[in-house]
Amino acid sequence: MENWITDWWVQSAYLESRLPLAVHSSPAVVLPKQDFNDWKGQLRFAAKLIAGMLDFKAKIDHQTLLVEYSRGYPLCMDQYSRLFASCRLPGPKHDSVLLPPPGRRPATYITVVRNFQFFQLEVYNSDGTPLTVDQLHSQLQRIRGQSWKTDKEPLGVLTSDHRHTWGKAYTTLMKDKLNRESARAIQRSLFTVCLDAPVLKVSDSRASSRLAAQMLHGGGSYSNSGNRWFDKTLQFIVGEDGSFGVLYEQAVAEGPPIATIIDHVLDYCKDPVPVRAPLIPLPMPKKLYFCFTPEIKRDIEHAKRNLDMWENQFIKPSLYQRSDDNNFKVRGEEPILFQMHGHRLLIPSPFSPQVAARTDCVMCYGPLVPDGYAVCYNPLPVHVNFSVTAFNCCQETNAEHMAGSIQGALDDVGALLEDHTDDES
């Protein structure tokens, strides 16, 4: 075997778990708010993001991606080749993973979802070259023109339910040929881009938690949760209000490769490669239709009720910054998040507490148990971003208090460093 632990780990830690992916399993990365506040800026940024992802994929395809190292040892880069065109598939007892067949060319399209409506967007020209930023922007405008209705069934919330429940609903959904074709198109797409509507404005003190919730589960069935297919390996979330993040499914993806992708994409968005668009007409993005039987509608309503239980479960985040004088201070204006896992502050086995990225971001993920905490942090050159989350429904836990304890510990370390510096001088 190439790796004796991988298959066992993926099966036991992820595919056999019956908890929902939303909140309980899939981590989200909350990224800095982008400099736009309308749908025009949203589409321009999304076009650059897609182009950046295609540029990253080209490095994988051409085997020019630089090997990563840890403590001087090269890391296995195999995971990168499986991030695209993959998806988790629900089952009644355990799940499975859909990967591109070996030796066959993967899909040449992505999925775009807006107002609960899914679209298949071809991202390569007929000659195999990727669409330019201008071409992608034009296609996203066409998608927006086809998705203005907001009275659609939020089919995506089905994927947020408990795995055995979604597994049964999935069997019902796939009995219809149209549903099978549309679902398979989503599952086999390279990745998904979620064009979210603006979220309800809240006070500044709750803005970070609201942003975390949007990335973790979409904010509820009445908000953007219907704009997700939680089984999909990679989902990029771009809000009309400038919110931006990534949601990923862990059976295929892990934090460090996701952080590498994010760094590359954001670098690309700052300075996209100028390419002249070919003067050829592009096909209209294909809208994916579904047949909603009474049984499927009941399944959707059931999933909506379960999902909405998680709304407003997250506590105000804080950012811990290490200043130049070795003191740790709180910068409350920055987006940070909080989570809960276990009865003590433990490192939950499916997650890494440190996910480092060059970007000023932080990862968050939902609780494994209802009465614990989870912490994740991103060490940056001049400050450290922490996320800590706890459920409001548990009286024994309080994420703000835990955050205060972390702050106190960091302040103590800062004081020790300062005293040590004074002693040396």
Side-chain angles (χ1 to χ4, degrees):
M1 299 177 68
E2 290 185 358
N3 188 310
W4 61 269
I5 199 173
T6 299
D7 291 342
W8 170 83
W9 174 252
V10 170
Q11 190 70 28
S12 60
Y14 302 120
L15 300 182
E16 291 180 1
S17 172
R18 300 289 81 195
L19 290 174
L21 298 186
V23 176
H24 290 279
S25 178
S26 294
V29 181
V30 179
L31 292 153
K33 191 175 186 298
Q34 299 302 302
D35 188 22
F36 59 82
N37 199 32
D38 57 19
W39 67 266
K40 295 179 181 178
Q42 176 190 36
L43 299 190
R44 281 195 298 269
F45 178 78
K48 290 188 287 187
L49 184 156
I50 296 168
M53 281 297 293
L54 298 181
D55 183 70
F56 188 87
K57 184 177 182 298
K59 294 181 181 296
I60 298 174
D61 295 341
H62 300 146
Q63 298 184 343
T64 59
L65 192 64
L66 296 177
V67 175
E68 296 168 5
Y69 286 79
S70 176
R71 300 178 182 177
Y73 292 95
L75 297 175
C76 176
M77 302 292 284
D78 180 63
Q79 191 174 124
Y80 284 100
S81 63
R82 297 183 294 162
L83 295 178
F84 294 90
S86 57
C87 191
R88 184 161 167 168
L89 301 178
K93 295 183 179 179
H94 64 82
D95 292 355
S96 58
V97 174
L98 176 70
L99 296 171
R104 289 179 57 184
R105 187 185 181 191
T108 58
Y109 64 89
I110 67 170
T111 307
V112 178
V113 54
R114 179 177 181 270
N115 281 345
F116 311 158
Q117 298 160 75
F118 292 83
F119 294 84
Q120 179 177 321
L121 172 59
E122 291 287 341
V123 291
Y124 292 92
N125 291 298
S126 57
D127 61 358
T129 59
L131 264 61
T132 66
V133 172
D134 288 342
Q135 286 178 307
L136 290 166
H137 182 238
S138 175
Q139 293 294 77
L140 291 175
Q141 287 178 312
R142 297 169 93 175
I143 286 175
R144 187 177 189 278
Q146 295 185 73
S147 58
W148 61 272
K149 290 187 177 180
T150 58
D151 59 347
K152 302 298 181 182
E153 289 282 356
L155 179 72
V157 300
L158 284 176
T159 64
S160 72
D161 215 341
H162 286 75
R163 301 309 292 176
H164 62 274
T165 307
W166 166 220
K168 293 177 182 177
Y170 181 74
T171 300
T172 303
L173 184 75
M174 299 295 274
K175 290 178 181 178
D176 182 86
K177 181 181 178 181
L178 178 65
N179 294 345
R180 283 198 305 274
E181 292 175 349
S182 296
R184 289 298 186 208
I186 297 170
Q187 293 162 345
R188 290 171 175 155
S189 63
L190 295 175
F191 55 90
T192 296
V193 174
C194 310
L195 300 177
D196 277 11
V199 298
L200 184 67
K201 290 187 180 298
V202 295
S203 63
D204 291 343
S205 62
R206 293 191 59 214
S208 298
S209 291
R210 173 70 70 172
L211 184 60
Q214 182 187 359
M215 301 307 159
L216 275 172
H217 56 65
S221 63
Y222 55 86
S223 185
N224 288 300
S225 294
N227 274 9
R228 308 284 185 270
W229 194 272
F230 287 97
D231 294 358
K232 194 66 187 153
T233 301
L234 276 176
Q235 295 190 94
F236 292 87
I237 301 160
V238 183
E240 195 172 309
D241 51 11
S243 55
F244 177 41
V246 179
L247 181 69
Y248 70 93
E249 202 287 304
Q250 290 200 110
V252 175
E254 292 181 355
I258 300 299
T260 300
I261 288 176
I262 289 170
D263 288 338
H264 178 89
V265 168
L266 284 179
D267 286 345
Y268 188 96
C269 288
K270 293 175 185 175
D271 188 22
V273 178
V275 180
R276 179 175 295 179
L279 298 176
I280 54 175
L282 294 172
M284 181 70 72
K286 180 182 178 182
K287 187 171 182 177
L288 302 177
Y289 291 94
F290 291 88
C291 176
F292 294 99
T293 64
E295 188 175 5
I296 293 173
K297 289 184 177 180
R298 285 196 299 271
D299 290 336
I300 292 174
E301 289 302 314
H302 180 272
K304 285 166 62 175
R305 288 194 298 271
N306 285 343
L307 177 64
D308 291 343
M309 289 173 59
W310 300 117
E311 177 62 352
N312 297 321
Q313 294 296 310
F314 299 94
I315 307 294
K316 179 182 70 175
S318 301
L319 175 65
Y320 299 90
Q321 177 189 11
R322 178 172 54 108
S323 62
D324 293 335
D325 60 1
N326 293 326
N327 290 321
F328 288 86
K329 300 177 181 179
V330 175
R331 264 193 335 193
E333 75 276 11
E334 295 286 344
I336 309 280
L337 328 165
F338 291 87
Q339 288 190 297
M340 64 183 273
H341 270 12
H343 301 277
R344 294 168 293 163
L345 185 58
L346 297 173
I347 300 172
S349 57
F351 305 104
S352 169
Q354 174 183 307
V355 179
R358 289 186 286 107
T359 305
D360 190 10
C361 64
V362 69
M363 180 176 290
C364 61
Y365 38 81
L368 291 178
V369 294
D371 56 349
Y373 298 91
V375 178
C376 189
Y377 64 94
N378 176 17
L380 293 160
V382 296
H383 65 269
V384 183
N385 291 352
F386 278 85
S387 92
V388 184
T389 306
F391 282 127
N392 288 336
C393 58
C394 177
Q395 296 181 354
E396 288 75 25
T397 56
N398 186 305
E400 287 186 290
H401 290 173
M402 175 61 75
S405 298
I406 293 174
Q407 178 182 10
L410 294 176
D411 287 341
D412 290 343
V413 172
L416 285 172
L417 292 173
E418 191 173 48
D419 291 343
H420 180 68
T421 302
D422 292 340
D423 292 340
E424 286 186 341
S425 60

